[in-house]
Amino acid sequence: MPSVTRLGSAVHGYGLTTAQIIYHVPDNYALLQDFLWQEYDVFPEFPTLRKFLAFWEDQIEGRLHSITVAHACLIHPIELYPLQSTRLH
């Protein structure tokens, strides 16, 4: 069960963010490699992802090629349907 803090965060726009980061291999620029990153983040600003990408550009030698981002709200409205009464026995 999610913690109250995480549940409260999800209500305020947080959700699971996944980024596929394609980057150039430092020793061979012609080769590309991918890295998958997942974290809870806010759509559409993605402050946590932006902070990670800034770190990448400053500290990691592999130059970024492309980034694909997917985001899923973990709490969203659901549809409720009434169940018909049935006897099992």
Side-chain angles (χ1 to χ4, degrees), residues 40-80:
Y40 291 99
D41 211 350
V42 181
F43 176 83
E45 296 85 13
F46 301 116
T48 307
L49 176 59
R50 289 178 187 272
K51 182 178 176 181
F52 176 75
L53 293 175
F55 167 79
W56 184 293
E57 290 181 333
D58 289 343
Q59 302 295 322
I60 298 177
E61 291 182 29
R63 192 170 136 229
L64 296 174
H65 175 271
S66 61
I67 302 162
T68 304
V69 179
H71 180 80
C73 291
L74 299 178
I75 297 179
H76 50 81
I78 60 170
E79 296 179 15
L80 298 175

Side-chain angles (χ1 to χ4, degrees):
M1 182 170 175
S3 68
V4 174
T5 305
R6 181 154 294 166
L7 184 61
S9 299
V11 173
H12 295 294
Y14 276 81
L16 185 62
T17 302
T18 303
Q20 179 188 30
I21 301 167
I22 309 266
Y23 64 96
H24 294 274
V25 175
D27 295 341
N28 189 342
Y29 189 77
L31 293 178
L32 296 174
Q33 194 162 4
D34 72 332
F35 176 81
L36 288 177
W37 175 91
Q38 272 192 329
E39 187 63 58
Y40 291 99
D41 211 350
V42 181
F43 176 83
E45 296 85 13
F46 301 116
T48 307
L49 176 59
R50 289 178 187 272
K51 182 178 176 181
F52 176 75
L53 293 175
F55 167 79
W56 184 293
E57 290 181 333
D58 289 343
Q59 302 295 322
I60 298 177
E61 291 182 29
R63 192 170 136 229
L64 296 174
H65 175 271
S66 61
I67 302 162
T68 304
V69 179
H71 180 80
C73 291
L74 299 178
I75 297 179
H76 50 81
I78 60 170
E79 296 179 15
L80 298 175
Y81 299 99
L83 298 176
Q84 294 182 2
S85 175
T86 55
R87 280 184 86 120
L88 298 176
H89 297 284

